[in-house]
Amino acid sequence: MTTIKQVSNDLDLSAHAIRFYEKEGMVSIPRNEHGVRIFDEQSIDRLKAIAHYRRVGMSLQDIKSILAEFHNHVLSTQLLEKTKRDLEEQIANLQETHAYLVEKIKIHRKLAELENQGLDEQERTEAYYDIRRQENKQ
């Protein structure tokens, strides 16, 4: 029997989140005669979908709409495309931030080198602005 802890670990969802999604009616998890959750293929598939949608930042309301209107493919497509656009924007922002960090790391490594060579703070500050001017020319 699959436990909530196992499903939680497998799907990277907290047990609390699973209980919340169940309470909100987003997933129906069968129970045995003792009230213990019996995760079946359908409930696990639904939890997987919820987990993916939450990871990309989809709102609970949009997820509820998709799940409640499973056969309304036009609605699902619209909501998923909106989420995809939002995700693509986040990815672009993260890529820009990543590139910024890569450049900052290069600069600080160079400045650390200069410090090891004995350049004082003023000389390193001037070197920093020289490096920045070089970047802006490119």
Side-chain angles (χ1 to χ4, degrees):
M1 177 169 55
T2 305
T3 66
I4 195 167
K5 183 177 181 177
Q6 290 169 314
V7 172
S8 172
N9 288 337
D10 290 348
L11 300 180
D12 196 25
L13 287 172
S14 69
H16 174 78
I18 292 170
R19 289 184 199 100
F20 173 79
Y21 298 142
E22 184 180 28
K23 182 180 140 255
E24 290 293 310
M26 298 169 72
V27 61
S28 176
I29 305 168
R31 294 175 183 259
N32 68 15
E33 64 276 2
H34 303 289
V36 177
R37 289 173 182 84
I38 307 294
F39 292 90
D40 59 3
E41 184 179 5
Q42 185 178 1
S43 61
I44 290 173
D45 281 350
R46 176 121 344 167
L47 286 168
K48 280 181 187 176
I50 294 168
H52 281 292
Y53 295 155
R54 290 301 293 152
R55 273 189 214 110
V56 298
M58 185 180 277
S59 73
L60 284 176
Q61 188 55 51
D62 285 353
I63 296 170
K64 285 179 181 181
S65 295
I66 287 174
L67 297 176
E69 305 258 352
F70 181 75
H71 294 289
N72 185 342
H73 305 300
V74 171
L75 173 67
S76 292
T77 301
Q78 289 171 343
L79 294 173
L80 292 170
E81 285 178 344
K82 175 183 162 279
T83 300
K84 181 177 167 274
R85 284 189 305 273
D86 292 346
L87 179 61
E88 287 168 344
E89 184 178 326
Q90 290 173 20
I91 290 169
N93 289 337
L94 286 171
Q95 288 173 329
E96 183 179 322
T97 299
H98 179 266
Y100 178 84
L101 290 174
V102 166
E103 288 305 311
K104 283 296 192 181
I105 289 168
K106 285 180 192 175
I107 290 170
H108 286 282
R109 282 187 177 146
K110 178 66 175 168
L111 294 173
E113 258 179 56
L114 296 174
E115 184 176 21
N116 288 337
Q117 294 172 9
L119 273 70
D120 64 25
E121 188 175 326
Q122 177 64 36
E123 292 169 315
R124 290 192 315 272
T125 300
E126 289 172 18
Y128 170 79
Y129 286 107
D130 287 343
I131 293 168
R132 293 299 310 258
R133 280 190 288 278
Q134 290 292 329
E135 283 179 354
N136 290 334
K137 288 181 182 178
Q138 296 174 359

